[in-house]
Amino acid sequence: MIINCKKIANEIISETKPKVDELHKNGIVPCIAIVMAGNDYASKIYIHNKSKACQKAGIRTREIIFRENISEYELMKSIEKLNNDKSVTGILVQLPLPKHMDEKKVCEIISPAKDVDVFNPINFGNFIIGNTDLTPCTAYGIMKVLKYEQIKISEKHCVVVGRSNIVGKPISHLLLKSDATVTVCHSKTHNLENFCKNADVIVSATGVPKLIKKNMVKNGAVVIDVGINRDENGKLCGDVDFENVEPLCSYITPVPKGIGLVTVAALVHNAMKTACFNLFKNK
Ligand code: NDP
């Protein structure tokens, strides 16, 4: 079964909207600032989609697009200004940033209370020890997909391919928290095929087009494809050789219109959450 991620994304947004309405009633107007530097076409599409999704839930957005050659200092100064701006309840820095900038350093300056992407190390640490309401967006979206489809995770063997701070690590953590046995693979893993072949659930987030082939997937497995890549013809594709793997799966997510949609919806959820922090501040 090909999972309908659009439906699940809409459901996340519908669940979020009444909570945003409640904030409005309490005099809090959720507003996220989306900061970008440069002219990257894909990034512009992403920020447009993120704005649209937030607006659907009643969250305002402010797109701030700087020129490619803005200095790291200037960009960080503008983020600091947003940190102190009471009308901004969340901040998102669209990656990638221009090459002359240190992305880690820039993202770390976002106030933890406004960090809708959960990039700040304080928030990431709190996420790992279960001490925050904020969950990294893609991991949140994947867990929603598994829950919506009533896919049992407890006692299952989940193989996560990729160990980035943005996707691989957070989703491994949430699967483990849901009582799965989790194997994390990466570029130095020998015999990736053997690990994947034994998986009840595969989550792939590598950025390698069509890495997961049919000989690596057991019959009836669940396959979650996070990758957003271009194939040899420039066509959008995931990490999974979809055409050949799909017939083997009990569930699979497509690319495009897959995990990307629920990731954006998760961002809307987090934008509502950071706005809620203001609710407690005012009391
Ligand atoms: P990173 O480049 O930060 O991490 C990639 C990970 O994949 C690394 O851990 C790397 O291993 C591993 N890897 C690379 N090649 C192989 C290989 N041949 N075999 C096994 N593991 C490998 O990427 P991200 O996590 O940021 O993103 C991964 C993909 O997901 C990209 O296509 C990105 O566009 C997409 N993405 C999609 C999102 C969505 O909403 N759908 C959100 C975020 C990302 P090592 O650590 O050893 O280098």
Side-chain angles (χ1 to χ4, degrees):
M1 177 181 162
I2 302 173
I3 297 176
N4 185 341
C5 289
K6 189 167 181 197
K7 205 157 107 188
I8 302 168
N10 284 337
E11 185 161 300
I12 298 171
I13 292 172
S14 307
E15 276 169 18
T16 306
K17 180 142 191 340
K19 294 171 189 158
V20 173
D21 294 343
E22 199 60 35
L23 284 168
H24 280 275
K25 277 187 211 147
N26 279 280
I28 293 162
V29 182
C31 171
I32 67 163
I34 304 180
V35 179
M36 171 181 166
N39 265 317
D40 184 65
Y41 178 70
S43 291
K44 281 195 173 158
I45 293 182
Y46 287 141
I47 68 169
H48 172 75
N49 292 343
K50 288 171 183 176
S51 284
K52 229 170 69 184
C54 283
Q55 284 155 17
K56 254 197 216 169
I59 295 170
R60 287 191 190 161
T61 58
R62 202 188 291 174
E63 291 176 21
I64 304 166
I65 304 181
F66 292 104
R67 63 191 192 283
E68 175 92 25
N69 62 354
I70 182 179
S71 71
E72 187 181 88
Y73 176 73
E74 270 182 281
L75 184 73
M76 286 172 74
K77 233 172 47 179
S78 77
I79 294 173
E80 194 56 54
K81 224 165 133 189
L82 294 168
N83 282 341
N84 296 319
D85 184 338
K86 286 199 171 65
S87 68
V88 173
T89 57
I91 302 170
L92 176 168
V93 174
Q94 182 64 42
L95 302 180
L97 288 172
K99 287 198 172 54
H100 62 279
M101 294 193 197
D102 178 347
E103 287 181 348
K104 205 162 152 257
K105 194 167 136 197
V106 172
C107 290
E108 279 177 9
I109 203 179
I110 300 172
S111 156
K114 297 190 179 186
D115 174 29
V116 290
D117 266 329
V118 199
F119 284 167
N120 187 298
I122 292 173
N123 285 339
F124 196 81
N126 278 329
F127 160 68
I128 296 292
I129 61 170
N131 197 24
T132 175
D133 275 351
L134 295 175
T135 304
C137 297
T138 305
Y140 181 90
I142 294 171
M143 294 310 286
K144 278 285 188 184
V145 165
L146 296 172
K147 192 166 173 211
Y148 185 90
E149 297 298 348
Q150 297 181 328
I151 295 166
K152 189 174 172 263
I153 291 302
S154 168
E155 297 165 35
K156 300 288 179 188
H157 179 210
C158 299
V159 170
V160 176
V161 192
R163 56 176 166 178
S164 69
N165 290 339
I166 295 178
V167 190
K169 283 197 193 98
I171 189 58
S172 306
H173 172 70
L174 291 184
L175 293 169
L176 191 62
K177 211 171 139 200
S178 301
D179 297 327
T181 300
V182 181
T183 303
V184 182
C185 300
H186 46 80
S187 68
K188 308 289 185 294
T189 300
H190 288 290
N191 290 324
L192 180 63
E193 178 186 339
N194 286 350
F195 289 106
C196 291
K197 192 88 197 162
N198 279 309
D200 301 304
V201 178
I202 299 174
V203 177
S204 186
T206 69
V208 181
K210 303 185 184 178
L211 174 71
I212 309 298
K213 306 223 169 359
K214 70 174 182 187
N215 60 322
M216 300 163 82
V217 178
K218 80 172 177 192
N219 254 321
V222 174
V223 175
I224 306 292
D225 190 354
V226 180
I228 302 178
N229 317 307
R230 299 262 169 204
D231 70 10
E232 60 283 5
N233 304 313
K235 207 176 140 213
L236 222 50
C237 72
D239 286 358
V240 178
D241 179 8
F242 186 86
E243 206 177 283
N244 295 308
V245 168
E246 187 264 326
L248 296 169
C249 301
S250 55
Y251 292 92
I252 186 167
T253 60
V255 178
K257 295 196 167 59
I259 294 302
L261 295 177
V262 288
T263 298
V264 171
L267 174 81
V268 177
H269 170 85
N270 276 354
M272 175 273 291
K273 284 285 177 191
T274 57
C276 285
F277 297 154
N278 290 272
L279 194 61
F280 303 123
K281 235 193 281 172
N282 294 344
K283 282 198 170 152

